Amino acid sequence: MTTNTAVLALATASWAQRWHDFWRGHIGEWIITRGLRIVMLLIAAVLAARFVTWVAERVTRQLDLGFAESDALVRSEATKHRQAVASVISWVSIVIIGIVVVMQTADILQFSIGGLVAPAAVLGAALGFGAQQLVKDLLAGFFIIAERQYGFGDLVKLTIAGSTTDATGTVENVTLRVTRLRSADGEVFTVPNGQIVKSVNLSKDWARAVVDIPVSTSADLNRVNEVLHQECEHARDNPLLGELLLDAPTVMGVESIELETVTLRLVARTLPGKQFEAGRLLRVLVIRALARAGIVTAADATVGLVDVAVVPAADAAKAAEVKGPVR
């Protein structure tokens, strides 16, 4: 029993000595003096990146909550810009944290950066041709944010270099490098900012709904104009349409003349991004008003939208006289 105890004590002392020698050796000393600093630096960087992301998400959530709790139908320009700036600041902050971590790690490892100046110059010249598009994207994204060309929630149309079609949709995210849009069909477009040739903001401050009404050349244009002016005067009384309009619609008059139709145009200033919804509601009101007045538009004659019940009795009687008695 005494012998076993002595052997166990010697083995324990041997392992303790080896453990002590390991931490006193080069590897153990490197782990204590440098390894732990690198690990703590990486942990701090991860926590800092997560904190930045959390702050950006909280700011975005507060802006969304403020918009949801308000009575506004659209976001203000300041809110759109703040959300875009929050996204950019988050992205730039994470990049800066990564650069700081790399530099601090090189300093802890006592890695001489001065010796890499000449190779870095050659490597930088080689990568410069490949990275020039990235630099172009970053510069373009900076000016998009600084000039407030568009922001989160805006409806935009982007002309892309080398593309035959435009990217149209609602802005879901803007960073210094890319702009992400979601189209009306649910498709997501990710467009590098450097490839944007022209941007058309369809929801900046206010929008305009344009409604064209084709009527037959045989229609009384004076009567048509009278009906349209009456509808424009009472358009804001409509509970749905009134919330979208900034002022009463305006009758612009005859827009074009074709072989069998005359096209008249209505325009109305609406809330940003609501021009399409307001245009649909205006078309419904105009069609019903013209039908009540007995004026058949070219579209009505094509798709049969006019209800016979709304045609005036006098017109119905005339139609019966033309057809003759029923046998």
Side-chain angles (χ1 to χ4, degrees):
M1 185 66 179
T2 305
T3 303
N4 294 336
T5 304
V7 171
L8 181 61
L10 290 174
T12 304
S14 176
W15 279 105
Q17 185 63 33
R18 292 179 182 178
W19 182 258
H20 182 269
D21 294 340
F22 173 79
W23 290 109
R24 291 295 181 181
H26 294 290
I27 298 178
E29 184 178 357
W30 185 90
I31 293 175
I32 294 175
T33 57
R34 299 180 183 179
L36 288 178
R37 291 176 61 188
I38 294 175
V39 171
M40 293 177 64
L41 182 63
L42 293 176
I43 293 175
V46 172
L47 293 177
R50 290 178 65 89
F51 176 75
V52 170
T53 304
W54 176 79
V55 171
E57 291 178 351
R58 185 175 179 82
V59 170
T60 302
R61 195 180 304 113
Q62 288 294 331
L63 292 175
D64 290 338
L65 184 61
F67 169 69
E69 292 179 349
S70 67
D71 296 333
L73 296 178
V74 295
R75 298 174 186 270
S76 65
E77 295 299 323
T79 301
K80 297 176 185 177
H81 184 67
R82 289 191 191 114
Q83 287 197 263
V85 170
S87 176
V88 170
I89 291 177
S90 172
W91 186 82
V92 172
S93 300
I94 293 175
V95 172
I96 292 176
I97 290 172
I99 294 175
V100 171
V101 168
V102 172
M103 296 181 62
Q104 290 294 326
T105 303
D107 183 60
I108 292 173
L109 297 175
Q110 296 181 352
F111 191 77
S112 179
I113 301 178
L116 296 178
V117 173
V122 178
L123 184 62
L127 294 178
F129 295 98
Q132 60 181 349
Q133 183 60 47
L134 177 61
V135 175
K136 183 179 179 181
D137 294 340
L138 296 178
L139 289 176
F142 170 77
F143 285 109
I144 288 174
I145 300 299
E147 296 173 357
R148 300 192 179 191
Q149 296 181 18
Y150 52 80
F152 179 85
D154 274 330
L155 180 63
V156 298
K157 180 192 296 183
L158 304 180
T159 302
I160 306 172
S163 177
T164 57
T165 59
D166 296 336
T168 304
T170 303
V171 178
E172 286 195 341
N173 193 18
V174 183
T175 66
L176 288 181
R177 196 183 74 83
V178 298
T179 296
R180 189 168 69 240
L181 307 178
R182 185 174 294 275
S183 68
D185 297 329
E187 301 171 332
V188 176
F189 297 99
T190 301
V191 183
N193 294 327
Q195 296 184 12
I196 299 175
V197 179
K198 181 179 67 174
S199 64
V200 180
N201 194 331
L202 303 177
S203 58
K204 181 75 171 179
D205 296 327
W206 56 273
R208 175 170 288 166
V210 179
V211 178
D212 289 335
I213 305 102
V215 298
S216 174
T217 53
S218 61
D220 185 357
L221 293 183
N222 292 328
R223 176 59 177 160
V224 174
N225 276 312
E226 181 182 350
V227 172
L228 294 180
H229 278 95
Q230 291 177 357
E231 288 301 313
C232 290
E233 292 176 358
H234 299 91
R236 302 193 71 179
D237 297 335
N238 186 286
L240 297 178
L241 184 59
E243 295 181 351
L244 307 179
L245 297 177
L246 296 178
D247 47 33
T250 304
V251 180
M252 302 299 294
V254 177
E255 179 65 20
S256 64
I257 301 176
E258 298 180 3
L259 183 61
E260 297 181 353
T261 60
V262 177
T263 302
L264 292 88
R265 172 166 292 184
L266 290 179
V267 296
R269 282 203 321 140
T270 70
L271 293 174
K274 298 297 183 180
Q275 64 268 37
F276 305 110
E277 183 178 354
R280 287 190 290 267
L281 293 173
L282 270 174
R283 290 183 183 94
V284 172
L285 292 180
V286 167
I287 289 175
R288 290 177 177 174
L290 294 177
R292 286 194 299 268
I295 302 171
V296 179
T297 67
D300 296 333
T302 302
V303 299
L305 292 177
V306 179
D307 187 355
V308 180
V310 299
V311 178
D315 294 341
K318 291 180 181 179
E321 291 175 1
V322 171
K323 292 181 179 180
V326 178
R327 298 180 180 178

